[in-house]
Amino acid sequence: LSGSARGPPPVSTNQAYSQYAQGDIQNGPPPMDHSMAQPPVCQPYSHGAMNLSGPHPSYPQQYGVQPSMQQMTNQMSGMQVGSGPLTSAGPGYAPPPSSEPPISAAYSAAAPPSYTQAPHPVSGAPSQPPPPSEPAAPQPYYDGPPPSQQQPFPSSAPPPSQPFPSSSPYSGPPPSSQPRAPAVSRQQSFPPGPPPPVQQTFPNSAPPPVSQALYSGPPPSSQPGPFPPTFASPAQYPAAQPPSQPGPPHFHSGPPPQCMQGGYPTQQNGAFGQPRGPQPGYAGPQYPGQQNYGAGPAPTPAPTQKRLDPDSIPSPIQVIEDDRANKSSEPFTTGVKGQTPPLVTTNFQVKDQGNASPRFVRCTAYNIPCTADMAKQSQVPLAAVIKPLAMLPPDETRPYVVDHGEAGPIRCNRCKAYMCPYMQFIEGGRRFQCGFCSCVTDVPPHYFQHLDHTGKRVDCCDRPELSLGSYEFVATVDYCKNNKLPQPPSFIFFIDVSYNAVKSGMVNIVCQELKTLLDYLPRENPEADSVVRVGFVTYNKVLHFYNVKSSLAQPQMMVVSDVSDMFLPLLDGFLVNVNDSRVVIESLLDQIPEMFADTRETETVFGPVIQAGLEALKAADCAGKLFLFHSSLPIAEAPGKLKNREDKKLVGTDKEKSLIQPQSGFYSNLSKECVAQGCCVDLFLFPNQYVDVATLGVVPVSTGGSVYKYTYFQAEMDRERFLNDLRRDVQKPMGFDAVMRVRTSTGIRATDFFGSFFMSNTTDVELAGLDCDKTVTVEFRHDDKLSEDTGALMQCAVLYTSCSGQRRLRVHNMAVNCCSQLADLYRNCETDTIINFFSKYAYRSLLNTPTKTVRDTLVNQCAQILACYRKNCASPSSAGQLILPECMKLLPVYLNCVLKSDVLQPGADVSVDDRAYLRQLLSCMDVSESHVFFYPRLLPLVKLDGGSLPMAVRNSEERLSKGGVYLLETGLYLFLWVGANAQQELLSNIFGTPTFSQIDPNMTSLPELDNPFSQRLREIIDSFRSQRSRYMKLMVVKQEDKAELIFKHFLCEDKSASGGASYVDFLCHMHKEIRQLLS
């Protein structure tokens, strides 16, 4: 049997009733490949659920009777269902066992893996791993200490104050040479402190009606006995079936079910795999009665009980594969209003027929509630993730550019919406009625056209703005600043030449690369030269400007040492055309590394550097982009000077939020000036210690720029990653001096925005720069009733200056359906987009709200979404069943990944800088990037035949086979995990050596071997990298090596080292929350 990837084992017909069923699922899963039934039409909704999609404090409202602490402790600890005996160590987990057998069929005969006795598997956000106990590669990934059961770091370990690399697991040896004793990684886990109020037990009441048994289980009863599965649902997931023990009736009265007292004992029938042995130091979730949800000493083993089979719960891999099978063959046509697009993991072609492509706009729901009450009751967020300048694949047409001449685009007189397919022409074509506000506007004479017998204009199909969802208008001078056409933009490169920057090799690499990179500045016509002008500045605690005028024989340097009042020392010769001044520029780039080779200056400034770039763009009267290559905390006396405020003791306290807030208002005010000028800032950081990313990132994040981070940068190890990021950043298509506005039809309005931008009012999103990777996420709220007949409309218009200096308007239109029945809402949701929205909302909330409250709010809102579905849309069934909507059955597993991310649940080894960096990074991620960021892709490298990829396996250590090799993609890194018993032929094909011991774990690229397997694997790695906005560095991880801890951090279905729950445990916890809400 090849495992969950192809569907779980067949269900057995007759099972004994499980008193300990977790999430109450019947034993023995049904085949996953059954076609899913549509949910029944729902019953009338009832009002009342609290809306958590806006900012709220924690939720003290009580659901049901408050139980005594003793009841909670005795009956709920560990979420064990029923009343089994407690372990001697108190509520919690017994040591977990070793892995289940491999999922990949080719290696499934491997012996029970012994490697699970290595440090416990860790999981969490696919952003940063936990510390290696001794990095296999000389460069450590985390700056923090390893977990207690590992040995201390070797001499290459960084000092504790230093952050771990942002976008690469291993970025080079740190500058410290002392071994350190390990400290225990004990971070507050889910949720830290006493349980949130939503986790209270139920009053004695009959169970609520249930249906749609995504999870179906036996009816309430305390007697074991045969009970066949009830297939009432789109998909059912049977539960564990332990031996019965005396206890209160199952799920009828008293506390809710509790999961897994005593860890992971042998599995029930219907599952496969060996019983697993104990594992050291495994901490697991705790529930009411315990102070912490995880991170404690491993309790002693409890009497053996049955564990819920992971194959019997919803599998992300199965959902992804089903979507590919059903939706990748036919093009996705956007002409039908309100249809849900294929998942972001599916390769599909889009045909624009009047709505924007999902590559530009993805919605959380494509059938939205007609009333605010219904939206509040369901708690499903209404939002759109918009990527205005997204790149399209070669087989799709770029948005057409429409030029209406001096008259400019046709617009509604009242709401100013742009002409689009939703405008209704009347009176023979002489006037049109706006689809957004219903106002009637005269058609200008030059735009008049007759109507056909259906009321459409006869030229409808010839005009992009009347037939397509996305297109561009050429903007007239009225849309330009000060009513004059813009100049082409400029790029200015600021290179830190302090001691650290020179010593790391960064200065040399940047100067060498710029000589060739300047030939690849962005341009609209690939045949023409770029019109972007360039300038160069170096700095430490003073700034050096360079005159590179084409008439000079040698570049001239001008030093500005008065950084308190920054000015531009030269106008002519600072911003130049590359082709005109090529010889002088190349001479300068050759000289800079030599000039500063022996510098002893360690201090840097930062604020004056941005001020200098801003002054240069003002003087040239153009928009542009500043590229800053910076290495250390700016402590030199100057505006924007910062102090080291890193304090690990604040993590987990109410003052924690101060660590990710900017130190002062200086950079916020500077951002405002930059946005007004169209000055976008991209920051490349090369830190060896704390640099206060939360503050340094303010200007990049507010101006539509990016932050890149290469901690412990080492030229030979990190050069490739840095240069690929830099090349892409310089070359990618982008717009400057942009303003975005989202208009909606009557009944809803845009109320909140997330991303890298600045807002000076409530409607206009201002972006000094907007590139092809950036998204803006918009939340909508009702301000009136909507009609099922007309649906709801949204139009996103972005006014920007192209890289050739032309003012443009890009327009994206989206129409969705409206529903008065909750079942229709739950049928048309997009879970990946909901998770993208929830994570951005949660990460932003951290600025003002304690982390625990943010986590509790997420769990509570997710529980309310699922409880509303069960109450209003599911047919009645046993209270012991966990019932999920078909299109949201992965909401719990993905939400758990968000909760375990390093931003919301950092391990002791996650630096403050890394949390700030990841927070900023996620704020403008699109849905495909956030998907792999939270749930990484794990591929078994068995047979790499043909053009198709091997089928992924689930993100758990149980899926790894000692005889296999696996590729893990996290969106920021690639890991190649090599099992200790991998076949010699496989190793020879990949590494050119047949023995496991000879593989070099420090390699960052695979050898180019002349065999089909090696060629195909390198093609796969290249294609993965081409799909992401950041270059993913490859790390080779050998089984049982120290670096394996980093790799395991991304196995997000397992428990995490920082105390995050496993998928199985979280599902039980979510079931308990839902039952509590329903009671």
Side-chain angles (χ1 to χ4, degrees), residues 606-607 611 633-634 638-643 645 657-672 690-699 702 847:
F606 189 75
Q611 287 173 329
L633 191 69
K641 171 185 175 180
L642 300 178
K643 61 179 190 290
R645 56 173 183 157
K657 57 181 180 280
S658 66
L659 296 175
I660 51 176
Q661 293 168 340
Q663 275 192 40
S664 70
F666 172 83
Y667 289 102
S668 301
N669 295 330
L670 184 54
S671 306
K672 196 172 177 178
Y690 177 74
V691 290
D692 200 351
V693 175
T695 306
L696 296 188
V698 167
V699 177
S702 304
L847 287 173

Side-chain angles (χ1 to χ4, degrees), residues 44-64:
Y45 67 87
S46 63
H47 308 275
M50 183 170 177
N51 185 357
L52 298 181
S53 54
H56 280 293
S58 56
Y59 297 91
Q61 73 269 26
Q62 314 251 332
Y63 298 100

